[in-house]
Amino acid sequence: MTNHDQETAAAAIVDPELLERKFTELTSAIAGTFGRVETRKAATGYLRGLLSEIPRKTCWDLGKHAGYETPDVMQRLLARAVWDEDAVRDAVRRYVIDHLADPDAVLVLDETGQEKKGTATCGVGRQYTGTAGKVTNCIVAVYATYASPHGHALIDTELYVQRTYAGQPATREAMGLPDDWAFATKPQLAQRIAARVLAAGVQLSWVAGDEVYGRDPKLRAFLEQRQAGYVLAVGVDFRVPTAAGPHRADYLAKLIPAQAWERRSCGAGSKGPRVYDWAMVATSSPRHVLLIRRSVSKPSELAFFYCHVPEGRPLTLPILAKIAGVRWAVEEDFQQSKGQVGLDHTQVRRYRSWRRHVILAMAALAVLAVVVAVERRSHPAPVVPRTSTDAPPDDYGLIALTVPEIRRLLTVFTQVSTVVTPRMAALRREFELRWSEWRRRHQARARWYHHRKRLAAA
């Protein structure tokens, strides 16, 4: 294949105008929430900055990127400008659903943190965050990802503020917390999010979450009342109601006979199918089961999930294992939102400013996620081995476009033409396409060998 052929093939699957169309679609959807033209212009510039290549997405950097003389316009956008962030959040959710909706979609609940210095930032305090892997000074927020077979993106959030602030009215006022603020646990915040999503008529069948949410009986009851199935992680000491009485999850795992374990994949990862051994344990309820996951390489490593399947829907291990595997989507969204659109780059202190930045970052991620979903619909099936003895193919193909690749490529496409001649812009686009194709072919080759290795280990 010649260089010209490679450029033509790459260009055929990368539409330089797609990001701009989807960006305009979103900004048009939220335009009505900004009462003034100046505010709407600043918000559009803020979003473009979040989608740009600038390494830090603070008001200083975003203001400079948008062409303002000082960061004042961006700081005012977050702190004092009149606009309805709830309406923008809801518009982002509708935008995501319009493109990714599926009856088998999963709402994934999880939290992530951002390390902070000092004591002035709203919600800051010493608490555990998986981002740092320890107890540290940070802020933590609960998020929801909408994950479907077409793609996934963050659609809602609530800031977690520790109980200690309940007795500090002066501090709450300085942090900008609403007058009606009251302490809420992370499961209670997740329930607020789920209530908004379900009230909006969002198409989904399942809710997934980690142990923080699986342990909460009120959240589980709320989901059951609304006929939402769930696969929620629980701890080893979770007491499972059975016909013989309540028993710890780890005790029940010891009673499972060897032939009851099923080896199957819960989804495709970057290095091939994520294969585990799975088993189900019946409970005292016909619509609830305990799902147990066992590592293939380290059988002593177990994970437990308490599951509810509403009436009229099949209760099968393959379905529940697949839903348990969808939880990875929120972790990927955290990684992409922080690395690509600056979710955790904000240096603001007050509640409204934090919330507005986060919602705009979710909007930027939604644009990228939708572009990825649109592009992947026409992407050919991946080239993967069928057995552990397959010989390498002549052509490994290309991996599908990813959020980082889309942001990298289409940022160049939309920016380069404004600073150089059309001829130089075309040459730069061709150069970027060649590098993009090389990266994606290299990653496809690595994927093929990872798959073959997994097949050999199975």
Side-chain angles (χ1 to χ4, degrees), residues 364-383:
L365 180 67
V367 173
L368 294 174
V370 165
V371 172
V372 166
V374 172
E375 290 282 3
R376 285 189 175 186
R377 285 170 188 153
S378 59
H379 189 77
V383 179

Side-chain angles (χ1 to χ4, degrees), residues 46 59 78 116 121-122 345-350 353-355 357:
Y46 201 96
C59 285
L78 297 186
K116 285 284 188 179
T121 303
C122 185
H345 291 189
T346 175
Q347 296 177 349
V348 299
R349 292 182 173 181
R350 292 175 64 83
S353 299
W354 171 86
R355 193 159 179 265
H357 169 82

Side-chain angles (χ1 to χ4, degrees), residues 263-269 272-276 278 318 321-322:
R263 183 162 297 181
R264 61 178 57 251
S265 169
C266 62
R274 291 174 289 148
V275 177
Y276 296 92
W278 301 84
K322 178 182 177 182

Side-chain angles (χ1 to χ4, degrees), residues 262 264-265 280 316-323:
E262 293 185 27
R264 61 178 57 251
S265 169
M280 281 198 317
T316 67
L317 188 149
I319 291 176
L320 297 180
K322 178 182 177 182
I323 303 307

Side-chain angles (χ1 to χ4, degrees), residues 4-227:
H4 175 74
D5 292 335
Q6 291 174 345
E7 292 160 11
T8 301
I13 56 172
V14 181
D15 181 357
E17 298 179 357
L18 180 59
L19 179 59
E20 190 62 30
R21 293 200 302 271
K22 294 305 174 184
F23 180 85
T24 301
E25 182 181 329
L26 177 63
T27 54
S28 297
I30 66 176
T33 64
F34 302 99
R36 295 173 59 89
V37 173
E38 295 84 357
T39 306
R40 184 161 62 249
K41 178 182 176 183
T44 301
Y46 201 96
L47 285 170
R48 287 197 182 279
L50 293 176
L51 289 167
S52 75
E53 79 291 351
I54 57 176
R56 295 294 299 173
K57 272 76 171 180
T58 66
C59 285
W60 286 29
D61 298 298
L62 295 172
K64 180 180 178 182
H65 181 271
Y68 295 112
E69 296 295 328
T70 70
D72 294 354
V73 172
M74 295 309 187
Q75 290 172 342
R76 184 180 184 280
L77 173 71
L78 297 186
R80 301 182 302 279
V82 178
W83 58 282
D84 187 347
E85 56 267 24
D86 285 348
V88 173
R89 176 203 62 204
D90 294 346
V92 171
R93 181 186 63 226
R94 288 192 298 271
Y95 174 82
V96 170
I97 303 308
D98 285 346
H99 292 281
L100 306 183
D102 190 274
D104 293 325
V106 182
L107 187 71
V108 189
L109 303 168
D110 203 355
E111 72 276 353
T112 190
Q114 176 185 355
E115 290 190 83
K116 285 284 188 179
K117 295 180 181 179
T119 60
T121 303
C122 185
V124 73
R126 288 192 61 79
Q127 53 192 317
Y128 178 82
T129 171
T131 303
K134 61 182 180 181
V135 174
T136 185
N137 206 57
C138 63
I139 58 174
V140 172
V142 178
Y143 290 85
T145 275
Y146 184 83
S148 82
H150 312 296
H152 52 86
L154 298 172
I155 61 170
D156 209 330
T157 185
E158 288 278 352
L159 180 66
Y160 174 70
V161 181
Q162 293 169 291
R163 191 189 298 271
T164 183
Y165 289 111
Q168 302 176 23
T171 303
R172 294 201 309 272
E173 183 179 359
M175 290 180 171
L177 282 168
D179 293 338
D180 60 352
W181 176 85
F183 171 74
T185 65
K186 293 173 186 174
Q188 287 171 334
L189 296 176
Q191 184 171 323
R192 289 181 193 173
I193 292 172
R196 283 196 293 264
V197 171
L198 293 172
V202 172
Q203 195 175 27
L204 61 87
S205 292
W206 300 96
V207 175
D210 66 15
E211 188 176 333
V212 171
Y213 311 99
R215 282 186 175 277
D216 191 84
K218 292 183 179 179
L219 176 60
R220 299 199 307 268
F222 168 83
L223 295 174
E224 291 175 22
Q225 290 168 3
R226 284 152 180 79
Q227 294 298 301

Side-chain angles (χ1 to χ4, degrees), residues 253-313:
K254 297 176 182 177
L255 305 180
I256 298 173
Q259 64 273 20
W261 293 94
E262 293 185 27
R263 183 162 297 181
R264 61 178 57 251
S265 169
C266 62
S270 60
K271 296 184 178 181
R274 291 174 289 148
V275 177
Y276 296 92
D277 292 329
W278 301 84
M280 281 198 317
V281 177
T283 72
S284 56
S285 164
R287 307 312 302 174
H288 294 81
V289 295
L290 177 69
L291 178 69
I292 306 177
R293 186 187 72 197
R294 184 177 70 183
S295 170
V296 174
S297 58
K298 297 180 181 179
S300 61
E301 291 186 359
L302 301 175
F304 303 91
F305 305 86
Y306 194 58
C307 310
H308 167 252
V309 182
E311 291 284 350
R313 288 161 57 183

Side-chain angles (χ1 to χ4, degrees), residues 292 338 435:
I292 306 177
K338 292 178 179 182
W435 267 99

